[in-house]
Amino acid sequence: MHKLFALLFLILTTSSVQAESSFYGELRLGAGGVRHSNTDFFPGYGGLTGGFFLTHNIGVEAFVEFPLGVGAERGFDVRIPMASGVAARFQSPSVNGVEGYIVLGFTTFELEQENRNDPAARTITGDFTGVRTSIGVQQHLSLFPGFLVALEYRNVNTDSGITTDGLSLGLRVEFQ
């Protein structure tokens, strides 16, 4: 994972000479879905994203997510203590201040499960990696130039049999 962040850093620093390039950052709040053992959990999460447009509407970004709540079902609590990764961003041209986008990347995350009915039971922790795909729509805020509000659905595909996805709302700022 450190190699991916190093590669992203090199891309960001070597591309900074392009005249039309710009940085962006985003704060995201959402509800995730975790499905394993035929049970669905819905933990809350927050996230921070930082990125750089390499050219018009194509960017690279790094993200980190943190828990804002647990998903409880059948006497178990599930949470994702942290997730992070890198991705490429492809967005449509703006039409009346609205843009669609797709984000394709790689993520690594940790999953914790705790038995609420038996406090003496140990917490089970697992580390996972996978391909993250997100699709979203964002609206420029006319009163605050450079700010956008975004709605996004994302899915992480791992080879572990655990399905994770999420729906989130984000506040984004773009720096020219």
Side-chain angles (χ1 to χ4, degrees):
M1 190 63 182
H2 296 300
K3 291 179 184 179
L4 288 173
F5 282 113
L7 177 62
L8 179 63
F9 178 76
L10 287 173
I11 290 170
L12 292 175
T13 57
T14 57
S15 299
S16 63
V17 296
Q18 295 184 11
E20 63 180 88
S21 60
S22 62
F23 288 96
Y24 58 88
E26 187 169 39
L27 173 63
R28 189 162 286 289
L29 300 174
V34 176
R35 181 173 184 81
H36 73 86
S37 305
N38 293 321
T39 305
D40 294 315
F41 299 90
F42 301 99
Y45 69 92
L48 296 171
T49 300
F52 184 84
F53 284 107
L54 299 171
T55 186
H56 191 66
N57 291 331
I58 298 175
V60 292
E61 58 189 43
F63 57 88
V64 62
E65 295 175 349
F66 44 87
L68 293 178
V70 298
E73 187 66 36
R74 296 185 182 177
F76 293 96
D77 289 340
V78 168
R79 71 185 197 108
I80 299 175
M82 190 169 117
S84 61
V86 294
R89 179 183 192 88
F90 306 94
Q91 60 185 47
S92 71
S94 183
V95 176
N96 296 325
V98 177
E99 300 162 348
Y101 63 89
I102 295 174
V103 178
L104 304 172
F106 176 80
T107 187
T108 181
F109 64 96
E110 184 178 286
L111 185 69
E112 289 182 352
Q113 178 177 304
E114 185 176 333
N115 186 337
R116 267 187 289 130
N117 297 329
D118 184 3
R122 68 181 180 96
T123 299
I124 300 170
T125 303
D127 294 318
F128 303 92
T129 57
V131 175
R132 177 176 161 176
T133 306
S134 300
I135 185 167
V137 62
Q138 58 191 17
Q139 169 72 52
H140 288 265
L141 300 177
S142 58
L143 293 176
F144 302 101
F147 283 84
L148 301 93
V149 64
L151 179 64
E152 178 179 297
Y153 170 77
R154 61 113 190 260
N155 182 276
V156 177
N157 185 11
T158 67
D159 61 1
S160 67
I162 291 178
T163 302
T164 63
D165 61 2
L167 187 61
S168 63
L169 187 62
L171 180 62
R172 176 183 181 87
V173 63
E174 294 180 349
F175 305 99
Q176 295 297 328

